[in-house]
């Protein structure tokens, strides 16, 4: 593929310097008065990059720069997945990076923790203080008293969490290991138990499917580029089903909407399989050749006739039967599963079942069939070389990011004495919001936050470090919803005194006097080390090629089924039964694990609503919540309830309500709509408390684990909803 080219330039007159063409749409310039010196026209150039945000699409983009300023951002038209478009959020990315509240200089706390009061300092002061405090903590408490806490603010392999940035420094210091548990881990581990890998089918192959189950995913909000391939299949006659407790944007465009009670997806999967088996339409040849434990799993399936599945899920029995019959007779069938459906006590088991479901029907063997949860396992880069875990002086403890409050308030062997936060806003995004705030308010906790904007978490920092944005640094990206590598070339200089995360860690290592040579590798050296793998997926891909072309497809055949030669499991087969699951204390046979609070009848009487907090169409997790234009379009926090529930509980449209349980509460405006099923309340995540004036949805979310991977249980959360003026607020701020 040819590299991006600059726009064509007019031929110069002999003897004159070449002139850059003006940008289309600029007002005409006045001709110079005779005798005045000629005015130089603006110089334009284009730089290829990648969106860094937590979205499966990892869009490839082009930045147009005029006289050193980024003036235009657009999706690359030649990218097969981006296809020339960005999302409603990222269309405003350049305005976001130039916003007046952008952090541009290092800061030191000048008021109580949480007050957001700071004074400006220089980089020398900031790094000296951080180095001195970290050295002192190591000397007194040991390296494990330091918790490097990173999130998905960037998915870059160099500057973000894929590497992750700073890993080598934390390994040398012997810091506690940060466990990235907050997003997709339960589902990833569940899929791995069945298939041996977290790798799913190429999402582009959904264009070949004839039945598509969009299971727990709102594609048009959380990764809209996939919809082009779904629509192509739909136009060719495919039947598209959205399985979601809420009639989302995506569900409104599907052929059918199936609305299970949150956390009951595993029971629904077993009910559908019961129909397939009852019809005798399981793929027996495929089961014999490519699966392990079918007889045991078949007995599990027969325990869930449609009537039982209907009682558990709330889905009408007739719909289960009809969809099961369609599933039995339609090849290929593809499942696109989202992260939201695995955020409960049985989330890992649910994804394990979905991987098994398309094994019973034999769909893994067909192009366009199988399960797409993540393509993360498709990239064979040398992640071990990037992280260098061997630099640790000894094994260290692992701390789950979804249990931050517990880690800050309860650990004592050793206690967490230093927290270094980057690419994350845990005050707004982590369970047990009140506990997180209490932990961050500890005067004996030294907290450094590296960020681009003054988030809720920044307010608790002792030192704030200003980080570059994507248009200002070098990075390499893979998507978790497609099979393309993307290169991000810096387009403009950093704003103010901002530094790239990799450079911040290099400078901090130098201030601490660390001598490990790999701590000082340049960004280009890091990229080369990552791409030095001999994995087949990187065949023919070099850094030079990637920088020249901007994006390259991983070397996976686009016209073949993923596991045509078997599965990377111990048996080489799709495993309905798993020794690894049994060793972890789980059911050896794939099956349904109920969500804890959802399935608790006593709790249902006191807190009648199951609360789901989905992604906002206008925020990306908590990113963009401070953009006035997007915040205006998103509106204030709302909570949607079904008309039957509204009548039962005295709730009306526009009412300011208090959504609460024993853990906490937040305020929201009621929306009465049949887009949610009875018994479910739906809100969106991402609001900053400092902008809404009170606690957010995570004040109500428990700090408990999923069945696999220590993931969070955002959707295993029961609440009550009452008019805000009828209850005592107990110091809670207004939203």
């Amino acid at each position: 593929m040819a590299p991006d080219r600059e726009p064509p330039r007019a031929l110069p007159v002999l003897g004159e310097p070449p002139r850059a063409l003006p940008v289309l749409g600029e007002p005409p310039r006045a001709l110079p008065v005779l005798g005045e010196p000629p005015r130089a026209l603006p110089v334009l150039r284009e730089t290829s990059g990648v969106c860094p945000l937590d979205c499966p699409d990892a869009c490839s983009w082009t930045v147009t720069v005029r006289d050193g300023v980024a003036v235009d951002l657009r999706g690359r038209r030649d990218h097969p997945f981006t296809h020339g478009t960005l999302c409603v959020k990222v269309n405003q990315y350049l305005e976001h990076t130039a916003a007046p509240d952008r952090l541009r200089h290092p800061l030191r706390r000048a008021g109580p923790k949480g007050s957001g009061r700071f004074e400006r300092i220089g980089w020398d002061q900031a790094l000296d203080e951080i180095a001195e405090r970290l050295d002192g903590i190591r000397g007194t408490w040991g390296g494990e008293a330091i918790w490097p806490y990173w999130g998905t603010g960037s998915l870059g392999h160099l500057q973000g969490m894929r590497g992750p940035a700073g890993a080598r420094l934390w390994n040398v210091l012997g810091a506690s290991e940060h466990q990235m548990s907050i997003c997709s881990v339960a589902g990833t581990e569940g899929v791995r138990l069945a298939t041996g890998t977290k790798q799913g089918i190429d999402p582009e192959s959904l264009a070949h499917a004839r039945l598509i189950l969009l299971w727990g995913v709102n594609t048009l909000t959380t990764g809209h580029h996939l919809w082009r391939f779904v629509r192509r299949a739909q136009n060719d006659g495919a039947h598209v089903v959205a399985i979601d407790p809420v009639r989302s944007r995506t569900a409104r465009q599907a052929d059918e909407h199936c609305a299970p009670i949150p956390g009951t997806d595993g029971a629904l999967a077993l009910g559908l399989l019961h129909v397939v088996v009852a019809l005798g339409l399981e793929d027996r040849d495929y089961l014999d050749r490519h699966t392990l434990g079918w007889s045991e799993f078949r007995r599990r399936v027969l325990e869930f006739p449609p009537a039982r599945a209907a009682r558990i899920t709330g889905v009408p029995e007739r719909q289960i039967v009809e969809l099961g019959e369609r599933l039995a007779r339609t090849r290929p069938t593809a499942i696109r599963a989202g992260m939201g459906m695995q955020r409960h006590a049985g989330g890992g088991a649910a994804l394990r079942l979905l991987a098994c479901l398309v094994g019973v029907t034999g769909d893994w063997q067909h192009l366009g069939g199988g399960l797409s949860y993540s393509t993360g396992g498709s990239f064979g880069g040398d992640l071990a070389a990037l992280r260098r875990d061997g630099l640790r002086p000894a094994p260290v403890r692992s701390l789950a990011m979804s249990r931050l409050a517990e880690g800050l308030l309860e650990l004592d062997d050793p206690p967490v004495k230093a927290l270094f936060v980057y690419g994350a806003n845990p005050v707004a995004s982590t369970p047990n919001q009140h506990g997180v705030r209490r932990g961050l308010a500890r005067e004996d906790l030294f907290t450094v936050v590296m960020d681009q904007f003054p988030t809720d978490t920044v307010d608790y920092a002792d030192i704030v470090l200003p980080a570059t944005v994507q248009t200002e640094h070098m990075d390499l990206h893979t998507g978790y919803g497609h099979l393309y590598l993307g290169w991000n070339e810096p387009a403009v200089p950093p704003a103010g005194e901002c530094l790239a995360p990799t450079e911040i860690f290099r400078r901090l290592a130098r201030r601490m006097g660390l001598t490990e040579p790999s701590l000082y590798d340049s960004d280009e050296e890091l990229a080369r080390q990552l791409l030095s793998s001999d994995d087949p997926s990187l065949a023919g891909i070099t850094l030079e090629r990637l920088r020249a072309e901007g994006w390259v497809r991983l070397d996976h055949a686009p016209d073949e089924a993923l596991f045509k030669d078997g599965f990377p499991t111990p048996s080489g087969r799709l495993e309905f039964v798993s020794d690894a699951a049994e060793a972890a204390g789980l059911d050896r046979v794939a099956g349904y694990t109920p969500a804890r609070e959802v399935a608790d009848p006593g709790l249902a009487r006191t807190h009648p609503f199951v609360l789901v907090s989905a992604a906002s169409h206008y925020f990306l997790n908590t990113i963009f919540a401070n953009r006035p234009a997007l915040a205006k379009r998103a509106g204030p926090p709302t909570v949607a309830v079904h008309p039957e529930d509204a009548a039962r509980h005295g709730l009306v449209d526009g009412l300011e309500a208090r959504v609460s349980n024993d853990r906490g509460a937040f305020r929201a405006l009621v929306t009465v709509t049949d887009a949610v099923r009875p018994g479910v309340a739906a809100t969106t995540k991402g609001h900053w408390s400092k902008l809404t004036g009170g606690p957010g949805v995570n004040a109500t979310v428990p700090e408990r684990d999923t069945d696999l991977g220590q993931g969070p249980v955002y959707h295993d959360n029961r609440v009550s909803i009452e008019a805000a003026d009828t209850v005592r607020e107990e110091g809670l701020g207004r939203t």
Side-chain angles (χ1 to χ4, degrees), residues 134 136-146 173-175 414-415 417:
L134 294 185
I137 289 167
R138 285 179 75 209
T140 303
W141 301 95
E144 288 182 313
I146 302 169
L173 296 180
K417 288 291 186 176

Side-chain angles (χ1 to χ4, degrees), residues 32 39 108 166 168 257 296 319 354 359 416 461 463 478 482 485 534 619 625 642 671 673 678 694 725 734:
R39 298 175 185 174
R108 178 195 288 127
R168 294 178 179 185
H257 177 215
E296 293 173 78
Q319 186 177 24
L354 295 194
V416 176
I463 299 290
T478 51
H482 62 58
L485 279 179
D534 58 1
F619 305 155
H642 191 274
T671 300
T673 173
D725 59 2
R734 293 176 62 84

